[in-house]
Amino acid sequence: MDIKTVGIVGAGQMGNGIAHVMALAGYDVTMTDISEDALQAAIKLIDSNMERQVSRDKITAEAKADAMARIATTVTLTDLGPSDLIIEAATERETVKQAIFEDLLPHLKPHTILTSNTSSISITRLASRTDRPEKFMGFHFMNPVPVMQLVELIRGIATDSETYDACKQVVDKLGKTAASAEDFPAFIVNRILMPMINEAVYTLYEGVGNVQSIDSSMKLGANHPMGPLELADFIGLDTCLAIMNVLHDGLADTKYRPCPLLTKYVEAGWLGRKTQRGFYDYRGETPVPTR
Ligand SMILES: CC(=O)CC(=O)SCCNC(=O)CCNC(=O)[C@H](O)C(C)(C)COP(=O)(O)OP(=O)(O)OC[C@H]1O[C@@H](n2cnc3c(N)ncnc32)[C@H](O)[C@@H]1OP(=O)(O)O
Ligand SMILES: NC(=O)C1=CN([C@@H]2O[C@H](COP(=O)(O)OP(=O)(O)OC[C@H]3O[C@@H](n4cnc5c(N)ncnc54)[C@H](OP(=O)(O)O)[C@@H]3O)[C@@H](O)[C@H]2O)C=CC1
């Protein structure tokens, strides 16, 4: 199947990055969000991220202009109906995602492929609530989308090979690399990465180190590009907690117990960079550790 048009649900950090790379690869993109402000902020951010790519000779000014012209925004979810491929990138909450798919279904074309950028939630369960489980799969980008090479492709139990191949072709056209993952909680990357981040929060909670010593230990001692607490702030602490809960519930093993300190930060609304405060406070010129 030849995909030409892509509908993206959610204009947060993942939605805007997905729109960015899809438009540069030549797809016509329609992006939706419940908030007009979020859509406008996303367009501004895509524009400045592409401008940086122009200034570093990664893309031409013409390619940027063409890509920006390919991105339409709407607060009306059903405007995505005619798209060949839908990528849902709304908040990591199963009820939110289910409601989006339920509202979209009556407006889709029969051939439309439905995907979710979920970090952890069962693709099979999301698919089972739709009219097309064979045309449903996980399309999991990494953050920041324009920079990271990997896309995890996750088949649900019913996903057919035509759907998988069509999504794999999109990944190829983006110039990214696909990794196939089976549909178990948090798939591959987050099954491994998130317990490490959660352990870093336990290390902080138990006073083994402070924010700075934990992050520099992993940056300088294990050559990670970001410390685990800095990375947690970058991903979003609400998303990290949601993934840990899916691992804990889905695998029924106490080793995935979310750290109470992570829960406390989320309860405070300190979600990381997106709310200007998490393990670091981003409101000043340079990030300041909160512990
Ligand atoms: C939670 C999930 O479900 C799954 C996940 O995504 S897990 C998270 C996965 N991501 C990671 O682990 C990211 C770890 N961090 C990194 O790799 C790096 O710190 C980083 C790539 C984010 C930044 O790298 P850096 O060297 O510190 O900074 P910087 O020099 O500013 O950026 C490197 C390049 O990325 C670009 N870049 C950085 N952030 C960007 C963004 N948001 N959008 C577009 N481009 C961006 C920069 O322009 C720069 O480009 P050039 O090479 O052309 O100069
Ligand atoms: N952050 C990361 O590093 C990664 C995240 N993911 C996954 O991508 C998805 C999005 O994450 P991320 O971009 O970080 O989250 P954000 O919180 O940055 O963005 C989510 C966006 O979805 C919007 N939204 C919420 N409900 C709806 C709805 N019903 N219809 C349309 N839009 C809606 C939110 O609006 P509002 O703010 O108004 O609620 C917000 O703008 C999640 O499933 C996450 O697990 C995948 C890979 C990496």
Side-chain angles (χ1 to χ4, degrees):
M1 182 195 153
D2 193 19
I3 290 170
K4 292 199 165 64
T5 53
V6 179
I8 298 170
V9 186
Q13 53 184 338
M14 295 308 289
N16 87 65
I18 297 167
H20 176 138
V21 298
M22 287 287 174
L24 273 180
Y27 294 102
D28 288 322
V29 172
T30 308
M31 181 167 51
T32 187
D33 197 285
I34 36 179
S35 136
E36 179 61 42
D37 287 352
L39 287 169
Q40 281 177 19
I43 290 293
K44 228 171 125 189
L45 198 56
I46 295 169
D47 191 86
S48 70
N49 281 334
M50 283 193 195
E51 194 51 46
R52 191 168 46 181
Q53 289 177 302
V54 172
S55 72
R56 296 185 187 185
D57 289 330
K58 301 262 159 145
I59 60 171
T60 63
E62 196 190 1
K64 178 198 162 190
D66 288 351
M68 290 304 297
R70 278 188 212 108
I71 305 175
T73 60
T74 174
V75 286
T76 310
L77 176 69
T78 52
D79 288 348
L80 269 55
S83 309
D84 298 324
L85 169 69
I86 302 283
I87 303 179
E88 172 279 314
T91 311
E92 185 74 346
R93 204 172 309 133
E94 191 160 342
T95 49
V96 168
K97 294 182 186 299
Q98 270 170 4
I100 288 168
F101 290 125
E102 258 163 44
D103 291 348
L104 259 177
L105 286 178
H107 305 275
L108 298 178
K109 302 239 160 148
H111 72 266
T112 301
I113 292 177
L114 278 179
T115 69
S116 174
N117 184 53
T118 178
S119 299
S120 60
I121 298 168
S122 165
I123 297 301
T124 300
R125 206 163 54 231
L126 288 174
S128 73
R129 307 279 295 249
T130 73
D131 62 354
R132 59 193 73 199
E134 71 290 349
K135 288 191 186 307
F136 192 108
M137 59 183 284
F139 205 127
H140 184 211
F141 287 87
M142 306 294 135
N143 187 12
V145 179
V147 179
M148 304 301 279
Q149 187 58 32
L150 186 81
V151 179
E152 267 186 296
L153 291 180
I154 305 113
R155 287 186 183 87
I157 202 165
T159 310
D160 64 23
S161 53
E162 207 188 338
T163 300
Y164 182 88
D165 291 346
C167 289
K168 169 75 170 59
Q169 269 175 27
V170 174
V171 176
D172 292 344
K173 196 166 162 190
L174 295 175
K176 295 195 183 285
T177 304
S180 290
E182 292 299 321
D183 184 24
F184 290 100
F187 323 123
I188 297 174
V189 171
N190 287 321
R191 172 78 178 262
I192 299 168
L193 179 69
M194 215 39 77
M196 188 216 40
I197 287 177
N198 192 48
E199 201 58 32
V201 186
Y202 269 114
T203 310
L204 178 67
Y205 179 60
E206 291 168 8
V208 182
N210 61 25
V211 168
Q212 209 148 28
S213 62
I214 292 167
D215 273 352
S216 24
S217 295
M218 294 308 286
K219 279 198 284 193
L220 304 179
N223 262 6
H224 289 197
M226 286 177 171
L229 301 172
E230 185 190 359
L231 181 57
D233 276 358
F234 181 63
I235 292 168
L237 303 190
D238 53 339
T239 303
C240 293
L241 179 61
I243 298 168
M244 285 313 298
N245 279 325
V246 167
L247 280 167
H248 191 227
D249 296 347
L251 298 169
D253 189 330
T254 53
K255 78 176 175 181
Y256 300 111
R257 189 171 69 104
C259 180
L261 186 61
L262 178 60
T263 306
K264 197 195 286 270
Y265 270 73
V266 174
E267 283 170 352
W270 293 14
L271 307 183
R273 277 182 181 271
K274 64 184 165 189
T275 58
Q276 303 251 301
R277 220 179 333 182
F279 293 112
Y280 294 84
D281 187 331
Y282 300 92
R283 291 171 299 171
E285 291 231 319
T286 50
V288 179
T290 51
R291 269 169 191 261

